[in-house]
């Protein structure tokens, strides 16, 4: 698995105005890496994820997946969106089976893959429930299980935990790391939560908005499980805060500003 992003630019026309969502982004993503794309609302994170997925195309530059130009979505690149995107009329079991049926997986294999993922995500008891009977955390587990059961080489996650309360969010972050360790594939996760990025990532790509550019790529060398109160953790956090708000001297004031602008209470 390799992803090469070369000089990618993407703009949108909004009325008569041209919004440059991404400006000459270049990045190589490694095999089995956990990469986080971090930045405030509107800096182009979702746009970049959609381009990697093949849901949209760059205006300029190119994205190569295993050396081939990305032109359309593919089952090698699974996507999980913030709003779960589950089918409300299907049970958990059928939501997960849906992708396997589309991909025409052998019926004998289907059952064993389904069981594998119900088990991995501890969803056995919820298998016959409908999405409206599930908590937000459970819905997101189903969405991730549905994407993973197609055995992608790369999983793209767009703010998967943003709608969850902080306690549940931390629990699912641990769960996601556990699953990443089992699956041994590349994860690219979009977030506007600085601590989430430091807790999860091997490398953090910090984006700045208008136009969306790479500010810095920060490797996180802390061993896992990581502690949010560890002095190195806090050092990286303060470094990112300063990157995103170079003129500020008061770190906690800035954190509040970033979090508020991102719509988190
Ligand atoms: N389909 C679209 N049409 C018009 N503008 C868009 C569209 N998608 C994104 N944008 C604009 O591009 C910029 C980046 O958006 P987005 O990638 O959604 O940011 P993020 O995910 O970091 O919040 C924003 O200014 C947004 O309004
Ligand atoms: Mg977004």
């Amino acid at each position: 698995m390799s992803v090469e992003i070369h000089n990618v630019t993407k703009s949108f026309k909004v009325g008569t105005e041209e919004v440059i969502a991404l400006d000459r982004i270049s990045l190589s993503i490694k095999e089995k890496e956990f990469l986080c794309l971090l930045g405030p609302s509107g800096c182009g994170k979702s746009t970049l994820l959609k381009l990697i997925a093949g849901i949209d195309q760059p205006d300029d530059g190119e994205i190569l997946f295993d050396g081939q130009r990305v032109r359309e979505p593919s089952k090698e690149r699974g996507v999980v969106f913030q709003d779960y995107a589950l089918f409300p009329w299907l049970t958990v079991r059928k939501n997960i089976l849906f992708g396997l049926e589309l991909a025409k997986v052998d019926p004998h294999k289907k059952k064993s893959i389904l069981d594998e993922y119900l088990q991995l995500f501890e969803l056995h008891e919820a298998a016959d429930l409908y999405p409206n009977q599930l908590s937000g955390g459970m819905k997101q587990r189903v969405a991730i299980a549905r994407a993973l059961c197609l055995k992608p080489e790369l999983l793209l996650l767009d703010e998967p935990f943003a709608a969850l309360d902080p306690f549940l969010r931390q629990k699912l972050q641990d769960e996601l790391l556990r699953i990443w360790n089992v699956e041994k594939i590349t994860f690219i996760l979009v977030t506007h939560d600085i601590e989430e990025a430091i807790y999860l990532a091997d490398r953090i790509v910090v984006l700045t908005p208008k136009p969306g550019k790479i500010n810095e790529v920060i490797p996180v060398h802390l061993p896992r499980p990581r502690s949010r109160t560890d002095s190195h953790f806090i050092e990286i956090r303060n470094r990112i805060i300063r990157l995103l708000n170079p003129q500020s001297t008061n770190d906690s004031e800035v954190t509040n500003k970033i979090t508020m602008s991102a719509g988190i209470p």
Side-chain angles (χ1 to χ4, degrees):
M1 192 307 307
S2 74
V3 179
E4 297 287 334
I5 302 172
H6 294 300
N7 244 340
V8 159
T9 296
K10 178 76 181 173
S11 313
F12 294 102
K13 262 227 151 72
V14 183
T16 54
E17 217 185 306
E18 179 107 340
V19 176
I20 304 172
L22 296 170
D23 185 18
R24 284 164 292 164
I25 302 282
S26 291
L27 187 66
S28 295
I29 297 147
K30 298 171 193 157
E31 178 108 41
K32 299 187 184 125
E33 181 172 30
F34 201 132
L35 189 88
C36 281
L37 300 175
L38 173 71
S41 193
C43 70
K45 305 183 294 297
S46 296
T47 303
L48 185 55
L49 209 72
K50 282 183 199 153
L51 297 181
I52 299 170
I55 296 167
D56 204 351
Q57 294 295 313
D59 299 332
D60 210 358
E62 61 175 8
I63 298 180
L64 302 178
F65 181 80
D66 285 343
Q68 300 286 318
R69 189 157 180 173
V70 172
R71 296 182 192 277
E72 58 194 359
S74 138
K75 80 180 191 55
E76 278 76 47
R77 298 185 299 275
V79 190
V80 177
F81 297 101
Q82 179 180 345
D83 58 4
Y84 323 121
L86 298 178
F87 301 112
W89 60 88
L90 296 180
T91 61
V92 166
R93 183 192 310 279
K94 290 198 170 150
N95 260 286
I96 298 176
L97 277 173
F98 183 84
L100 293 171
E101 266 151 30
L102 272 191
K104 300 196 170 68
V105 171
D106 175 322
H108 298 293
K109 273 208 194 133
K110 238 169 26 190
K111 168 99 181 52
S112 71
I113 296 175
L114 173 70
D115 283 340
E116 178 191 341
Y117 282 92
L118 287 174
Q119 192 130 24
L120 185 64
F121 283 83
E122 291 165 12
L123 285 167
H124 259 114
E125 287 177 13
D128 295 312
L129 298 180
Y130 288 87
N132 69 359
Q133 297 173 294
L134 305 176
S135 65
M138 294 268 267
K139 281 186 212 169
Q140 200 51 286
R141 282 205 204 113
V142 177
I144 298 171
R146 188 179 58 181
L148 283 176
C149 73
L150 288 178
K151 304 282 178 194
E153 293 171 36
L154 168 66
L155 185 66
L156 303 160
L157 302 122
D158 195 353
E159 310 224 22
F161 310 138
L164 308 178
D165 70 65
F167 299 104
L168 191 57
R169 198 182 311 165
Q170 289 190 9
K171 184 165 178 275
L172 284 188
Q173 286 165 358
D174 284 330
E175 197 160 314
L176 194 65
L177 284 173
R178 176 175 66 84
I179 285 156
W180 172 66
N181 271 315
V182 173
E183 296 289 307
K184 300 194 172 12
I185 61 167
T186 309
F187 279 20
I188 303 179
L189 180 137
V190 159
T191 182
H192 61 250
D193 180 331
I194 298 175
E195 290 199 355
E196 179 164 272
I198 305 169
Y199 191 74
L200 294 174
D202 292 322
R203 283 192 305 158
I204 303 172
V205 178
V206 181
L207 295 166
T208 35
K210 295 187 184 19
K213 274 180 185 287
I214 294 181
N215 185 322
E216 203 167 313
V217 179
I218 299 176
V220 183
H221 294 304
L222 302 172
R224 296 184 177 94
R226 294 174 180 165
S227 159
R228 294 170 177 83
T229 52
D230 178 277
S231 62
H232 293 297
F233 193 106
I234 293 168
E235 233 168 71
I236 299 173
R237 179 178 149 268
N238 290 344
R239 181 170 158 208
I240 296 173
I241 290 170
R242 277 191 295 273
L243 272 179
L244 291 170
N245 292 268
Q247 65 281 57
S248 175
T249 48
N250 183 335
D251 289 348
S252 64
E253 188 187 306
V254 174
T255 317
N256 287 340
K257 235 168 53 194
I258 296 169
T259 323
M260 305 236 313
S261 71
I264 295 293

